[in-house]
Structure formats: structure tokens, C-alpha cells
Amino acid sequence: MRKIQIQILFIFLTGISISFAQQPQKPSSVEIYHQIKKLNFLGSVLYLAAHPDDENTRLISYMANEMNARTGYLSLTRGDGGQNLIGPQLRELLGVIRTQELIEARKIDGGEQFFSRANDFGYSKNPTETLEIWDKDKVLADVVWTIRKFQPDVIINRFDHRSPGTTHGHHTSSAILSVESFKLTNDPKIYPEQLKYVKPWQVKRQFFNPSWWFYGSQEKFDAANKSKFTKLETGVYYNGIGKSNQEIAALSRSRHQSQGFGSTGARGQEMEYLELINGDNPKDRDNLFDGIDTSWNRVKNGKPVGDLITSIIAKYDFSNPSASIPDLVKAYKMIEALEDDHWKSLKSAAIKNIIASCSGLYLEAVASEQEATPGSTIRLSLEAINRSPVDMQLVSVISLPDNKSTAQNIVLNNNNDQKLNLQIQLPNNIEYTQPYWLKEKATVGMYTVSNQENIGIPDIIRQVKVVFNVKITGIEIPFERTVVYKYNDGVKGEMYNFLDIVPEVTTSVLEKVLIFGSVKSKMIPVKVRAGKDGIKGKLQLELPKSWNVSPKEIAFSLDKKGNEQIFYFEVTPPVNPEQAVAKSIATVDNKRFDKDLTIIDYSHITKQMVLKPAESKCIRIDLKTNGDAIAYIMGAGDEVPESLAQMGYKVTIIKPEEITPEKLDSFNVVITGVRAYNTVNALANKQNILFNFVKSGKNMIVQYNTYGKTVTDQIAPYPLKISNDRVTEENAKVTFLAPNHPILNTPNKINSKDFEGWTQEQGLYYPDQYDPAFTPIISSHDKGESPKNGALLVAPYGKGYYIYTGLSFFRELPEGVAGAYRLLSNMISLKQPVEAPKQEIKK
């Protein structure tokens, strides 16, 4: 294993704390030294898997920081199909959260992040299904594109391409596509349209990164023959900050908060193994890059650059990093003169950051407001300060995207803070701030990104920037800064966000699904929000002619940016069952605005702004309910309570500590949210109260929990064991096992049509073992599999009913699936049995 004198990661100290947008990086002297050492390593490795949280952060951190390699992670999806432990966001909004979590993870472990256009459509049991839904050719094109652009010497697959059906279909598919790409990326006949932007590239080696869970257990993995594997000792201790590689990897892993992947760091020796899939094995099994030239010699005329950087490293003064600036500027000038565009671009950007760090050069562009509209003028406060004795001059600043240059010619004396004002005229056609992959209409399996150059970019593409042209020891160097907005929080101190470009006005139908169980009209609230001062216009709610909307339009006037007002439209549905989309449209100066603004704001990621069509799904269905009062106990987070309210129920969300016999006495039904018994520890001590609630003649509905760890083994009054059984084919045929059971007949007659139009899956984590007291109600299965009977289990207990369901109501209800509403109504309405078994809770 290679040793380095000082092992310190620039990103460690800045990445461990909560990150707020473009908060400036302020590295220490030893962190700067590590960055300079990385300048002298010209090797790249790309880790490849299917989802956020699939990556091996121990290996990524080791490659980026111990090996000094440029290290990337290509996640084929953004994790849109997972579950959310921190909030109600699902599908594309969850994908936005998980994208940011990956970006934060890479800030900690030192890697870079990439994505393909593949949409995580949910669990898939085999790669055949996955690659059909994804559009294999497009995802393969994205893998080839990323490789040609990143130019890795080595690719490491997280999953095994030779084991279809043994893991998530997305997992195996990621490995299959990676292996196929190995022989394609250097062929100019393959995806030739890419060659306008990138060159063919041949990866030297491709590995599979096995671990104990591929072998079934740690014991089997330990006993396996690993003599042909490349071995890497990744249990490195970074003495500069007193942390092990595993501890850094755990901090990175713990950024995946929406998936509950908080990780505890380890210490001591640890080995990672790599099995060669393509290319030649390194002769030195401890060095992944053995036989690959990772010096500046690989670049034409690069040797003098490497020699100079080696000299800079040898002479580096930890007490005075600015002493390295003259030689660093020389190295920058030499790099800029190279012909190799790839390494020239990468190393030029890196050395500019190092020069700024060595000199304490602080450059910032701050907007006076956090939001602006196209065509408006924004005021910026610029700051430039040189905190070193090195001669510097701020020659000019260039604002983007208007590309306006403003001469400054200000001498930046040591520690003399220069503050300037600047105005930027935004073009009328500037893009709104939003995740670029959500801008165009997607399919179930693929996002649409028309601009080839944007494919793979991890984050929102922001256009408003300022370039500071600074002359340092006679050489002019451009430093680009994205415009930010910052403010002081009385508790947290200095807080950062990006400048967002927003529409002049946005609207929102506040209920995303509107249920009409009869011809009775409803008052529908629509919110209007101003993106700038002095907005006046007209608001309409558009529906098909079979739906009556009154009034036809409403005039609105909002004086100040950010002001909101709610207006109401009376909507009368048609007589017969029908589904329609209601669109809220604001018209200002003959221009239509049809976007709904969603803000996602969690402390562990950068605040996100998502623009979606301002729409709501209106459903006229034959739905009968009883008016029962429902107590809802939230789990990991879902939108089921809102859907219950749409059905006409009185829903009260109660906290676990509020669960008492007296509190529950006024309710007829208790429903637990998704994964409640995985995430709400307090429920372990509330089961007797809940079961006695059922025994008294009321109902309890428990939605799905994952198998494995639950807060109590007794989640039901009778034995019940959760498994990994699921039905991923949302339109799989449903068989009624108990067709005469009241849950299928009262008050709504349930039939096969009620299981049409389900999204992503029918259900997940069905129990496969349960007491005879339970009656299985339905059965279905994916193609080629045995029937799964645990989707809906009903057991009388005392005078009431206990119901366990793995059906994905948390997905179907927000999507407006009519049959899900009808079935849930029957579950809530279930009446006490004629005779109830006299069974007590087992101690």
C-alpha cells in the first residue's frame, strides 16, 4: 500500500457540517497541501451502480483521497422509486431529494457525481423487465457518454452482471450495461452523435466489487477463494484530522437521510476486493493503477508541469502557503498552454482553486433578493479580498448570462477588503430555476433531456454568475462564482441559498386529488403567488365541459413579491363516473402562467425549487363512505391523511405519546402510516392500548412495514411475520380469495376493475406467515411466480377488526387511483363480527 506523508482531505472538514448552497470553502494549510498532491496524479476511476445509496463510500473515499485519483460515481437513477423516511415527497420529488443527498455525500468522500436519464420506476425483479422499461439503448448511450466524458482508466461495478434474478433488476442491469459499454466507448461508429462533444475512449480495466452479501453471509465470504482478486487495504487512518477512511465513508453514507442509511464509522484494517471483468489484471494486486501512467507524462508536454508541481510539494511551507503562489501561477500558465483539453480543463480548474486558497483570496457575488424573474434587473454586492502579500489586481468582472464586462483595475492589497456593486439585466428568455431533467415530459422508465451536453450533470444548471478576472504576479486568471443569496439567522448564523429565477406568477390547486363521491359540488381552493411586485391578472380553473366551474375567471392583484392569495372555484362533477385534470391558469398581460412552485427545504441538503404543471386530478367515482372519525399515526411519512380527508373522513393525526385509551375513545378507526413499526420507537409500548381499542369494537389498519427490524415483534394481536414478498407488476391479475367477505362488498362492491390503473406496484413486504385467525382477502403475483396471498389480511379481535395490508395505498391514493379509495373505504367501514374469538394478547 502506498504511503503519503500527510493525509488530509480538503472536503472532510467542510463536508461534515451541514452544507448551505455555495457556502465558501476555506481550507486549512494541510488541506491545501493535499490538493497540490492531487494535482500530480492523472488517473481516474468510475464507480457504477443503479441507485443513490448503492455506492461503496469506503472505496470512493479511498480512491479519491488515499490514491489521489479523480473518482466518480455514476448512479443510473436518481432514486425516484424509493420510499421516503423524512417527508411525504415521492417519485420525482423524492428523486430531487436523493440527488442532493448524493451531491452532499460526494462533498464528504471527495468523489464526483453523475446520472443517466433512467427513471427509477420502482422495484424490478429481473433485468429483462428493467431494460424494457428503461429503454436499454438510451441508458447504454448515457453510460457510454459518461465514460467518454469522464475518461476513466478503471471502472468498478457495484453489482454482478452474471447473476440476474438474485437482486433488484436495476442492480443487475447497471452491471450488464457497464460490461457492454467496455467494448463500445472506443468505437466511433457507436453513438457518433456524441463525438461532437467528446472523443472515443478505452477503459483499461473493469472490475466487480464483491462483498459478503453477494455470498449470502460474512462467513461464506471469508471462506471464499479470493486469490485472484485485486486487494485494497482501505482501512486507512488520516492522521491530519484523526479520522479513518471508514469514518469518513460513514459520514458520506449518512447523507442518505431520506432512506435511513445513517452509518457508524469503523476503525482498523479493512480490505476491499475487486474481481477483474475486462482488461488486464494489475501485476501489483495492491495497486489498482499498476501499469497505467498516472503522471504528467501521459499528457503531451506535460512532464515540465509535473516536475514543477513536484518542486512545489517539496518546498511547501505549512506556515505560509502563499509562498507557493508564484510557482503555482507558473504551473497554471503551463497547463493553459497544453493541447490535451481533458486534463488541461480539469487541472486548470483545480490549480485556480489552490491559488485562491493559498492566498486567502475570497471572491463572492451576493444578490439582494433570493428570487428574480426573467427580464428583471438584479442588484449584486461583490466582495474581493486578498489575504496574502502576493501582488494582485482585480482587473474586471464579467456578469453572466448577459456577458457584460465591467473594468475595475483595483489593487488588492493584503487584507484590504474591496466591496463593489453590480447590476445584471436578466434576459427575457432565461431559464427558470428547476431540475433540468424534469423540464420535459418523461416516460415511466426515462427522463427526457434533449440537450446532449446536459446528460449526466448531477445538479440544477444555474446561469447567473460573475467572473472575477484577477491578475496575480502578472498573470490574469478568471475565477467564476455562482450568484448566491445569504442572510443571517439568529441561531444558525450565516446562511446561504442560491439565486432562483422564478415565473412572474405561479398557481397551485391546493388539493392534488379531488374526490367527488356524488354530484354534489365542492369549493376548490387555488393559490396564486407573486414572483415580482405589482402583479395583476385573471385566474381560471380549466376543466372539460362535462364539469361545471363557477366563476369562469377571478381577477387578482398582488402588490409585493412573495405575496400569496387563495381563491375558490365551485366545481360540480358530471353524473357518471369520470376522471379529468383541472388546470389552474393565471393570465398576466396576455401571457399564460401554468406552473406550480414546490419548495423542498431540508437542513441536510441545498434548498430546491421544482416547477410542475399546476394541475389536480378530479375523480367522479361511485364511492360510499360512513363518516367515521379516524386517528392517524404517522410513520415514515405519507400523504394518506389528506386523501382520507378528501373522502370525507374526519382525520386527526396523533403523536405516539398521545396514544391513551381516553385519547382514542372518540375515534372509530386507527390507521398507522407506512413503516410506522420500523420508525416510531414509541409504538413498542402502545400495543396493548391499540389492541384493546380493537377489542372494544373498533378497527385498526396497519399499512406496510419492511421485513427485518421492527420496534416490536408483536405488531398484531396474533402471530404475523413480514416477508420480502411483493407484487411489482401493478396490473397483475387479482384473485378474490374471500369474495363474500364484507371487506369486498360493503359499502362498495369491489371488482377486478378496482385494481386497474395502479401505479408502480400493487404492494410490497407482504406477510408470508400468519395466524389462522387472519383471513387472506386477495391473491396476485408477478409473471412466473407463485401466488402471494398476504396483501390484505383481516382478523376479528374482540368486537373489532385488525387489518394488515401491504397494498401500496401510499402511492395509489395521491395518484388518484379510484379503486384504492373504494377498497380503503370498505376497510374503514368494516363492522364487528357476529362472534369474536376470545383471545388475549400473548405476553
Side-chain angles (χ1 to χ4, degrees):
M1 181 181 67
R2 292 187 313 111
K3 298 289 183 181
I4 58 177
Q5 291 178 334
I6 295 180
Q7 298 167 314
I8 186 75
L9 309 183
F10 162 69
I11 204 67
F12 281 175
L13 298 180
T14 58
I16 291 171
S17 61
I18 294 174
S19 172
F20 298 99
Q22 286 295 302
Q23 194 159 18
Q25 299 170 336
K26 303 168 185 176
S28 68
S29 178
V30 286
E31 292 170 329
I32 295 168
Y33 178 78
H34 178 72
Q35 294 178 52
I36 298 173
K37 287 185 69 69
K38 290 197 74 164
L39 277 178
N40 245 7
F41 191 93
L42 279 69
S44 302
V45 57
L46 182 66
Y47 203 85
L48 197 152
H51 309 109
D53 71 52
D54 282 344
E55 81 276 32
N56 184 339
T57 53
R58 297 182 303 276
L59 198 51
I60 290 175
S61 176
Y62 175 83
M63 288 296 168
N65 304 303
E66 172 66 8
M67 298 294 292
N68 285 327
R70 186 188 182 210
T71 306
Y73 174 44
L74 172 55
S75 174
L76 295 190
T77 76
R78 296 177 184 267
D80 328 79
Q83 286 85 50
N84 186 357
L85 288 181
I86 61 173
Q89 296 88 359
L90 293 174
R91 293 302 307 146
E92 66 273 11
L93 295 183
L94 176 58
V96 171
I97 293 172
R98 298 186 73 184
T99 291
Q100 292 302 312
E101 289 177 337
L102 269 185
I103 291 171
E104 295 300 321
R106 298 295 80 79
K107 289 179 183 179
I108 293 172
D109 58 36
E112 300 176 46
Q113 188 58 52
F114 306 99
F115 295 96
S116 82
R117 290 171 291 175
N119 192 337
D120 180 358
F121 56 84
Y123 192 86
S124 178
K125 294 180 178 179
N126 62 77
T128 301
E129 177 196 50
T130 296
L131 294 174
E132 286 177 356
I133 296 176
W134 270 357
D135 190 333
K136 177 184 176 182
D137 185 67
K138 288 182 179 178
V139 184
L140 180 59
D142 290 356
V143 174
V144 171
W145 164 258
T146 303
I147 293 170
R148 286 173 170 173
K149 190 175 181 181
F150 188 75
Q151 295 188 13
D153 299 300
V154 177
I155 288 178
I156 301 174
N157 296 337
R158 166 81 282 188
F159 301 104
D160 190 352
H161 66 289
R162 300 158 297 191
S163 55
T166 60
T167 182
H168 197 320
H170 296 182
H171 292 168
T172 311
S173 295
S174 71
I176 290 172
L177 294 171
S178 179
V179 171
E180 286 189 19
S181 72
F182 188 84
K183 296 180 180 179
L184 303 178
T185 54
N186 203 31
D187 186 346
K189 296 179 182 178
I190 302 298
Y191 307 118
E193 68 279 3
Q194 298 179 0
L195 302 183
K196 179 180 177 181
Y197 312 100
V198 292
K199 299 176 181 178
W201 178 256
Q202 183 57 60
V203 178
K204 306 296 189 302
R205 295 175 184 136
Q206 187 175 53
F207 295 92
F208 160 52
N209 177 207
S211 63
W212 67 263
W213 41 281
F214 289 98
Y215 287 77
S217 69
Q218 185 66 52
E219 292 75 18
K220 291 181 180 179
F221 184 55
D222 292 341
N225 181 5
K226 297 184 279 292
S227 61
K228 295 184 179 181
F229 290 178
T230 292
K231 298 179 293 183
L232 302 174
E233 170 54 64
T234 58
V236 181
Y237 177 66
Y238 298 103
N239 51 36
I241 59 165
K243 285 184 173 63
S244 69
N245 187 65
Q246 302 101 309
E247 289 171 317
I248 300 306
L251 291 168
S252 172
R253 183 75 171 167
S254 297
R255 292 295 89 186
H256 297 295
Q257 293 184 18
S258 68
Q259 303 303 293
F261 280 127
S263 180
T264 300
R267 289 147 294 281
Q269 295 182 345
E270 185 173 68
M271 197 73 70
E272 286 288 340
Y273 296 92
L274 302 174
E275 178 188 358
L276 186 72
I277 300 299
N278 279 306
D280 63 319
N281 251 321
K283 293 179 180 179
D284 179 0
R285 293 294 179 85
D286 294 337
N287 182 0
L288 198 64
F289 291 94
D290 182 51
I292 300 173
D293 189 354
T294 57
S295 73
W296 279 95
N297 294 334
R298 78 185 296 173
V299 175
K300 183 180 178 181
N301 298 323
K303 186 178 184 303
V305 179
D307 292 341
L308 179 54
I309 293 173
T310 299
S311 174
I312 294 171
I313 294 170
K315 295 187 297 182
Y316 184 76
D317 184 350
F318 287 90
S319 64
N320 181 23
S322 65
S324 298
I325 292 176
D327 283 341
L328 286 168
V329 172
K330 290 178 185 177
Y332 166 76
K333 186 176 180 181
M334 293 166 67
I335 291 171
E336 284 290 291
L338 295 174
E339 297 178 19
D340 186 308
D341 290 337
H342 178 72
W343 287 110
K344 172 183 174 179
S345 174
L346 293 171
K347 296 302 184 180
S348 178
I351 201 168
K352 284 197 293 184
N353 287 333
I354 293 170
I355 292 169
S357 298
C358 284
S359 62
L361 178 61
Y362 185 91
L363 304 168
E364 188 174 67
V366 180
S368 58
E369 297 183 86
Q370 204 257 312
E371 295 178 356
T373 55
S376 64
T377 300
I378 59 173
R379 293 178 290 110
L380 301 182
S381 298
L382 307 185
E383 182 178 1
I385 183 171
N386 164 32
R387 290 171 287 185
S388 77
V390 176
D391 291 337
M392 292 191 192
Q393 181 184 21
L394 178 60
V395 178
S396 64
V397 293
I398 300 174
S399 57
L400 301 175
D402 61 353
N403 205 32
K404 180 182 177 182
S405 179
T406 304
Q408 301 294 333
N409 297 316
I410 299 172
V411 176
L412 298 179
N413 292 319
N414 186 6
N415 210 33
N416 185 6
D417 199 9
Q418 297 290 332
K419 294 186 178 180
L420 316 166
N421 295 318
L422 185 70
Q423 287 189 341
I424 297 181
Q425 178 66 46
L426 297 178
N428 292 320
N429 62 349
I430 190 172
E431 297 273 349
Y432 296 137
T433 301
Q434 61 180 319
Y436 70 89
W437 60 94
L438 297 180
K439 181 182 175 183
E440 302 176 74
K441 187 174 178 60
T443 66
V444 173
M446 295 294 296
Y447 285 118
T448 301
V449 181
S450 298
N451 187 337
Q452 177 68 51
E453 292 182 279
N454 290 348
I455 293 173
I457 293 175
D459 208 352
I460 289 171
I461 300 170
R462 299 180 185 271
Q463 299 173 271
V464 187
K465 302 178 181 182
V466 172
V467 179
F468 295 79
N469 292 311
V470 182
K471 185 178 289 186
I472 304 175
T473 64
I475 302 299
E476 189 170 317
I477 303 175
F479 296 89
E480 185 179 275
R481 297 292 184 264
T482 301
V483 172
V484 297
Y485 170 77
K486 70 177 183 180
Y487 61 97
N488 184 71
D489 182 276
V491 175
K492 299 176 182 178
E494 190 175 55
M495 302 288 287
Y496 278 78
N497 279 312
F498 284 107
L499 169 71
D500 287 331
I501 308 302
V502 302
E504 293 177 19
V505 61
T506 55
T507 69
S508 176
V509 185
L510 295 185
E511 300 292 346
K512 300 309 174 188
V513 176
L514 297 162
I515 300 297
F516 294 82
S518 68
V519 295
K520 184 179 179 181
S521 65
K522 286 188 175 186
M523 299 302 293
I524 307 304
V526 178
K527 182 175 69 177
V528 180
R529 180 182 187 272
K532 68 176 186 179
D533 294 344
I535 284 290
K536 294 182 179 180
K538 295 180 179 179
L539 179 67
Q540 293 176 301
L541 187 64
E542 295 183 351
L543 272 161
K545 292 181 179 180
S546 53
W547 297 71
N548 185 59
V549 180
S550 179
K552 297 300 181 183
E553 61 181 30
I554 300 174
F556 66 87
S557 177
L558 299 172
D559 293 335
K560 296 295 183 181
K561 174 196 293 188
N563 281 2
E564 298 177 346
Q565 190 170 354
I566 296 176
F567 301 93
Y568 290 87
F569 292 89
E570 184 177 11
V571 175
T572 305
V575 174
N576 297 319
E578 182 181 322
Q579 294 190 13
V581 174
K583 300 180 181 180
S584 58
I585 307 293
T587 303
V588 178
D589 296 330
N590 296 318
K591 184 179 179 181
R592 285 165 57 95
F593 293 89
D594 60 355
K595 297 300 182 185
D596 184 352
L597 173 64
T598 299
I599 299 295
I600 300 175
D601 195 3
Y602 291 103
S603 62
H604 69 298
I605 60 175
T606 298
K607 183 177 123 177
Q608 299 293 291
M609 187 180 91
V610 181
L611 291 171
K612 300 171 64 179
E615 298 177 349
S616 176
K617 193 171 184 179
C618 295
I619 308 173
R620 168 68 176 99
I621 60 174
D622 180 13
L623 176 67
K624 300 180 179 64
T625 62
N626 57 29
D628 285 351
I630 297 173
Y632 199 93
I633 304 168
M634 295 298 295
D638 58 64
E639 296 179 339
V640 173
E642 292 89 336
S643 299
L644 291 168
Q646 272 293 315
M647 296 168 70
Y649 294 111
K650 181 181 179 182
V651 184
T652 302
I653 296 177
I654 62 172
K655 299 177 181 178
E657 57 270 22
E658 297 175 338
I659 299 175
T660 63
E662 295 75 19
K663 180 72 173 180
L664 296 182
D665 186 61
S666 60
F667 299 101
N668 302 104
V669 180
V670 166
I671 300 178
T672 61
V674 299
R675 299 179 71 174
Y677 286 98
N678 298 127
T679 60
V680 184
N681 291 327
L683 282 177
N685 301 317
K686 299 294 184 179
Q687 291 301 85
N688 283 341
I689 297 174
L690 292 169
F691 294 157
N692 286 333
F693 172 84
V694 179
K695 184 188 278 188
S696 70
K698 300 180 180 182
N699 291 350
M700 180 177 180
I701 300 172
V702 177
Q703 296 182 82
Y704 96 95
N705 294 271
T706 60
Y707 78 102
K709 185 179 179 181
T710 53
V711 299
T712 175
D713 293 334
Q714 194 178 21
I715 64 173
Y718 308 110
L720 178 146
K721 185 175 181 180
I722 300 170
S723 74
N724 197 30
D725 286 352
R726 62 178 75 205
V727 178
T728 63
E729 296 171 15
E730 57 268 32
N731 292 316
K733 181 181 178 181
V734 174
T735 301
F736 296 143
L737 300 176
N740 297 321
H741 197 285
I743 206 169
L744 294 177
N745 293 279
T746 304
N748 302 288
K749 179 68 175 177
I750 304 300
N751 55 55
S752 59
K753 290 185 178 180
D754 288 302
F755 288 91
E756 294 177 359
W758 285 51
T759 64
Q760 187 161 323
E761 66 213 356
Q762 274 190 7
L764 62 171
Y765 298 109
Y766 295 167
D768 63 349
Q769 298 177 38
Y770 40 86
D771 192 88
F774 284 103
T775 299
I777 302 299
I778 63 174
S779 176
S780 64
H781 60 87
D782 290 328
K783 292 183 180 70
E785 293 194 356
S786 60
K788 304 295 185 289
N789 299 339
L792 182 57
L793 302 173
V794 183
Y797 184 71
K799 298 179 180 179
Y801 275 110
Y802 176 94
I803 303 170
Y804 188 93
T805 180
L807 292 172
S808 59
F809 287 106
F810 73 106
R811 294 197 192 281
E812 312 313 322
L813 298 176
E815 291 296 323
V817 178
Y821 282 90
R822 286 163 46 81
L823 179 57
L824 184 57
S825 173
N826 285 14
M827 293 162 62
I828 293 168
S829 304
L830 198 59
K831 298 301 181 183
Q832 59 181 317
V834 176
E835 295 184 12
K838 298 179 180 180
Q839 296 199 30
E840 300 294 332
I841 302 172
K842 297 179 181 179
K843 302 292 185 182

